[in-house]
Amino acid sequence: MAVAALLRRRVLSSPHAVSSCRNEIYPVREHDFGLSIGASCIFWRGYHNSGKFDLTDMTHPHMWYPKAREKKRNVYLHVGPTNSGKTYNALKRLEASSSGVYCGPLRLLAREVAQRLNKINVPCNLITGQERDEIEGAKHTSVTVEMADVTTEYQCAVIDEIQMVGCKSRGFSFTRALLGLCSDELHVCGDPAAVPLIQRILEATGDLVTVRYYERLSPLVPLKSPLGSFSNIKAGDCLVTFSRRGIYTLKKRIEMEGKHLCSVVYGSLPPETRTKQATMFNDDTSDLNVLVASDAIGMGLNLNISRIIFSTMMKYDGFNFRELTVSEIKQIAGRAGRYGSKFPVGEVTCLDAEDLPLLHSSLKSPSPIIERAGLFPTFDLLALYSRLHGTDFFHPILERFLEKAKLSPDYFIAECEDMLKVAAIVDDLPLGLYDKYLFCISPVDMRDDISVQGLFAENYARKGIVRLKEIFTPGTLQVPKTHNQLKELESVHKVDRRISGKVRMAATRTKKVFAWSTKAASKI
């Protein structure tokens, strides 16, 4: 069923909607709270002397994580430009710890770290929204930041790309990890632009904060001339654009010159396909010696790039087409000339001469200081709010809570439009409040009907799992020959991996989709 039809079914004026009231102040009694939220409320009661508190008061989010507050954490901020060794040094501490967790912004990064630790005989689990690979006896785990466990104690924790704390849609997950990870040492890596905000946020936690600044290890040279003709492409080049269609269009143009074959890397490719494409580009014996990629490469992927070439300086951010920010330009450009690779000096330019002024000015400018961090209410808060309003319908609870939420100047509420759409859909299914909450905070493209149908199929509500054969008719999938067919295949794979939750259960069907996706990446 299409998203619009499902949304129309949701009647917000139903008797289940939260009734209007002038405030959200409630008396607190110990038996009002379930076991999962009792500990957090002890903290809240400490600063509400009247025995009452405002459920929508989110001005003290560090108090949501009592286990972390029991520790006086040693927090190390590793900050500097790309290719400066900041994440490398943080990971060395993780390797040497008796237990730990790495929290990254991308599945591919989480996988790289897990592989790195397992390779040096430090058993490490891999847990993302689409994958779960658990190693017997492992005391280390590599996760995408949304999957960070704030209930387990670690000796060491690493949060990568902390500047994403200011991201409208995902920033709240980085805030949650920053405030909630229960570790003796917390190593936070990213852009210096995040330092003042992180220091302010952590003043309330009592943690000991040390800032370590890094300089770039290899030169990055902005070129004065654009690429010009596609015949000027050379081995080690990476062309950057911001859509699937743009990536495959550039790939086709480069290969038509007859000199090079291209690997492709972008966000919606299945993780195995991205890994294989990146590996082939890095392999000196491979024929794929040019890379065409999205800004997915800007998040620390280890790629042997000689020259970054921006095909455009415009990007669609889900709302509007806009110019790339200073931070985005520096993040992407900095992937050229990786330290220790066969390209010790990185170069960066544009396809068109008219884009060079923005590129050059951005590389000379510091990234704008990040003023606020994303925030989203925990399940415990929303569960209590739901209980006191007497409803398990999640959409009106979430909408009302967000409308009334009170924040300190250091925080903003995460972009919730898609979450509210998801909430409207899941309220029509026989799911518990916790499942509804998890669906709402899980990344999903609401414009992708295949994802929505798979994610919210009633089969999940009945069985707790949606199988691939329930999303499409077996035997109908074929190697894609068009962009739309490829998008559909990627959607099927994404739903299969997200809903199954267990890689081994999906191994056979995923292997086939992965093979088709890899083949498509070289054919389209």
Side-chain angles (χ1 to χ4, degrees):
M1 186 176 297
V3 179
L6 284 169
L7 288 173
R8 283 195 294 270
R9 290 173 55 191
R10 192 74 198 99
V11 181
L12 299 183
S13 59
S14 72
H16 303 292
V18 176
S19 60
S20 176
C21 59
R22 293 186 178 181
N23 60 58
E24 303 292 344
I25 308 296
Y26 296 94
V28 177
R29 298 181 301 275
E30 193 65 36
H31 65 268
D32 282 335
F33 303 99
L35 294 176
S36 63
I37 57 179
S40 297
C41 293
I42 292 174
F43 285 88
W44 284 324
R45 292 174 71 181
Y47 62 81
H48 288 277
N49 297 327
S50 66
K52 299 180 180 181
F53 66 89
D54 184 349
L55 288 176
T56 58
D57 185 346
M58 299 173 66
T59 57
H60 299 78
H62 64 287
M63 307 298 274
W64 299 348
Y65 308 101
K67 292 197 71 172
R69 300 291 76 81
E70 290 172 2
K71 287 182 175 289
K72 187 177 180 66
R73 303 180 300 179
N74 289 305
V75 181
Y76 299 92
L77 303 186
H78 303 263
V79 295
T82 55
N83 243 314
S84 60
K86 55 187 184 294
T87 304
Y88 172 84
N89 281 282
L91 290 178
K92 294 300 287 184
R93 287 297 305 156
L94 184 65
E95 292 172 8
S97 65
S98 59
S99 62
V101 61
Y102 167 84
C103 305
L106 298 174
R107 291 185 293 271
L108 199 52
L109 275 178
R111 176 183 283 220
E112 277 190 4
V113 171
Q115 290 174 341
R116 168 180 172 162
L117 293 182
N118 284 312
K119 190 174 181 179
I120 60 173
N121 296 319
V122 178
C124 182
N125 302 317
L126 173 64
I127 300 176
T128 75
Q130 294 186 351
E131 299 174 271
R132 191 177 191 93
D133 189 8
E134 295 180 287
I135 308 298
E136 185 175 356
K139 297 187 180 298
H140 290 72
T141 302
S142 183
V143 304
T144 42
V145 67
E146 284 82 3
M147 306 300 291
D149 181 356
V150 295
T151 62
T152 298
E153 291 194 34
Y154 305 101
Q155 183 184 31
C156 180
V158 175
I159 306 173
D160 209 356
E161 307 293 354
I162 190 58
Q163 69 276 3
M164 287 193 68
V165 75
C167 176
K168 291 181 181 179
S169 57
R170 297 183 65 197
F172 74 93
S173 296
F174 289 82
T175 303
R176 173 178 173 271
L178 179 68
L179 295 176
L181 283 171
C182 185
S183 60
D184 299 317
E185 288 185 18
L186 176 59
H187 295 263
V188 181
C189 309
D191 194 298
V195 169
L197 175 62
I198 303 305
Q199 288 176 320
R200 290 199 307 271
I201 286 176
L202 295 183
E203 281 179 4
T205 65
D207 297 326
L208 180 63
V209 180
T210 302
V211 184
R212 295 176 177 173
Y213 291 93
Y214 294 76
E215 298 294 332
R216 186 175 168 91
L217 296 172
S218 59
L220 179 63
V221 180
L223 301 180
K224 296 180 180 180
S225 301
L227 175 68
S229 170
F230 273 76
S231 62
N232 294 326
I233 296 286
K234 58 187 179 182
D237 280 348
C238 172
L239 273 80
V240 177
T241 192
F242 303 100
S243 71
R244 177 194 292 103
R245 186 174 295 275
I247 285 173
Y248 284 106
T249 299
L250 286 173
K251 168 182 159 62
K252 186 174 182 179
R253 286 192 63 182
I254 293 167
E255 293 183 343
M256 283 178 64
E257 292 286 335
K259 296 179 181 179
H260 304 283
L261 296 177
C262 302
S263 291
V264 296
V265 170
Y266 56 94
S268 58
L269 271 181
E272 302 92 338
T273 306
R274 272 178 290 167
T275 299
K276 186 174 181 64
Q277 291 285 309
T279 300
M280 289 189 294
F281 172 71
N282 283 339
D283 186 352
D284 289 339
T285 65
S286 170
D287 293 331
L288 303 176
N289 56 14
V290 171
L291 180 65
V292 186
S294 72
D295 49 349
I297 65 164
M299 292 296 179
L301 300 180
N302 290 321
L303 296 163
N304 296 329
I305 296 170
S306 171
R307 182 172 56 168
I308 290 285
I309 303 164
F310 286 90
S311 71
T312 176
M313 303 299 272
M314 300 292 293
K315 174 185 178 181
Y316 183 71
D317 61 8
F319 302 95
N320 300 291
F321 278 100
R322 59 167 177 81
E323 283 188 342
L324 298 177
T325 65
V326 169
S327 299
E328 289 169 338
I329 291 170
K330 294 171 71 174
Q331 191 82 12
I332 296 168
R335 295 306 163 193
R338 177 184 164 209
Y339 180 73
S341 75
K342 62 182 179 180
F343 302 114
V345 176
E347 296 178 331
V348 57
T349 188
C350 300
L351 202 57
D352 300 316
E354 63 185 23
D355 289 329
L356 286 176
L358 177 59
L359 172 64
H360 285 225
S361 63
S362 296
L363 294 179
K364 292 177 182 176
S365 304
S367 299
I369 297 299
I370 299 171
E371 299 289 348
R372 297 185 299 162
L375 205 61
F376 192 74
T378 64
F379 171 72
D380 290 345
L381 266 179
L382 291 174
L384 180 56
Y385 195 70
S386 169
R387 180 174 176 181
L388 291 176
H389 280 288
T391 179
D392 284 332
F393 282 82
F394 197 62
H395 184 284
I397 287 295
L398 180 58
E399 187 176 50
R400 175 73 176 180
F401 189 100
L402 296 176
E403 177 188 338
K404 296 290 185 180
K406 303 167 186 66
L407 305 172
S408 79
D410 288 330
Y411 297 97
F412 66 90
I413 285 286
E415 173 57 52
C416 297
E417 182 180 351
D418 281 352
M419 294 186 192
L420 287 168
K421 290 179 181 177
V422 174
I425 296 170
V426 298
D427 271 343
D428 285 327
L429 299 175
L431 294 169
L433 198 65
Y434 185 64
D435 280 337
K436 292 178 181 180
Y437 177 84
L438 289 182
F439 279 129
C440 286
I441 65 172
S442 297
V444 59
D445 185 353
M446 291 300 294
R447 296 165 297 180
D448 185 342
D449 273 355
I450 293 177
S451 288
V452 173
Q453 289 182 60
L455 190 57
F456 303 108
E458 292 190 11
N459 285 349
Y460 177 82
R462 294 199 309 269
K463 306 175 186 177
I465 188 170
V466 177
R467 301 186 184 280
L468 191 59
K469 65 183 180 181
E470 295 162 356
I471 302 171
F472 76 104
T473 305
T476 61
L477 283 185
Q478 298 178 356
V479 176
K481 298 178 181 179
T482 68
H483 295 288
N484 288 337
Q485 289 174 355
L486 178 58
K487 181 180 179 181
E488 181 175 334
L489 183 63
E490 290 167 357
S491 297
V492 168
H493 180 277
K494 180 167 57 178
V495 172
D496 180 41
R497 297 297 290 272
R498 181 184 290 131
I499 295 299
S500 69
K502 295 182 179 179
V503 176
R504 292 182 182 88
M505 292 178 65
T508 301
R509 55 186 181 265
T510 297
K511 184 176 181 181
K512 181 174 289 188
V513 174
F514 160 51
W516 287 343
S517 182
T518 301
K519 189 173 182 180
S522 64
K523 295 291 185 183
I524 288 181

